[in-house]
Amino acid sequence: AALRAIGGVCDEADHAANHALQAISFNISIPFEDKSQPLVAFNPNSFPIRTLIYHEKGSWGNFSYPDPCKVVRGDGTEVPFQFTHLEAQLDIRQRIAILAEIPPLGYETFRIIHAEKRAEKAPQHPDWLLENEFIRMELDPETGLLRSLVSKSDNAELLSSPSAQFRAYPDESDTWGHEASIFHNGTGEDARFVCLERMDNGNAFER
């Protein structure tokens, strides 16, 4: 009953927030451009944020993005973006991730529009290597363990040995953890490594 009540409160709050944001959005002027997708991203915090925002389209008459395309802010400057995997596995849809910078207690407008050429692809690294301008992280392709983490500002290796070994423990407590003082009894098993696969690679995620 408590979980259902919390769910109902969260649902009502989502409806109220959505109605408020729609009311503001209706008063934001975005120049019309044929076959473009306008977006408005809000920041309810008292500080600026730099984050990824996502948008999907491509089914039930909601046509796909221009091909090729680019993403521009309200002032016309381009921003990093990339196509990424869908949460709903539908081949007819597309999902785009946009690296957005939004002012405090404000909003930023974006448009997904036609581009003259495709954006340059991010460098192709092996699946066990993740790297951006700040860090370089290597996973062991045989075990899946984190074997190296380098800070690129001073080229310092932050690990003394492979780390992040996952273990699975039986959990016999109830939903609320009644009378439970610990949540593992020391008899857990190391997680079995199956495979290592890169899910996304692009200009937005590497920033």
Side-chain angles (χ1 to χ4, degrees), residues 188-202:
E189 298 181 0
D190 290 344
R192 181 170 59 89
F193 178 70
V194 177
C195 68
L196 187 62
E197 179 183 359
R198 182 188 297 269
M199 298 298 296
D200 281 299
N201 185 56

Side-chain angles (χ1 to χ4, degrees), residues 147-164:
R147 68 181 182 187
S148 176
L149 183 62
V150 176
S151 170
K152 297 176 71 172
S153 62
D154 53 6
N155 203 35
E157 172 61 65
L158 305 180
L159 297 182
S160 59
S161 62
S163 64

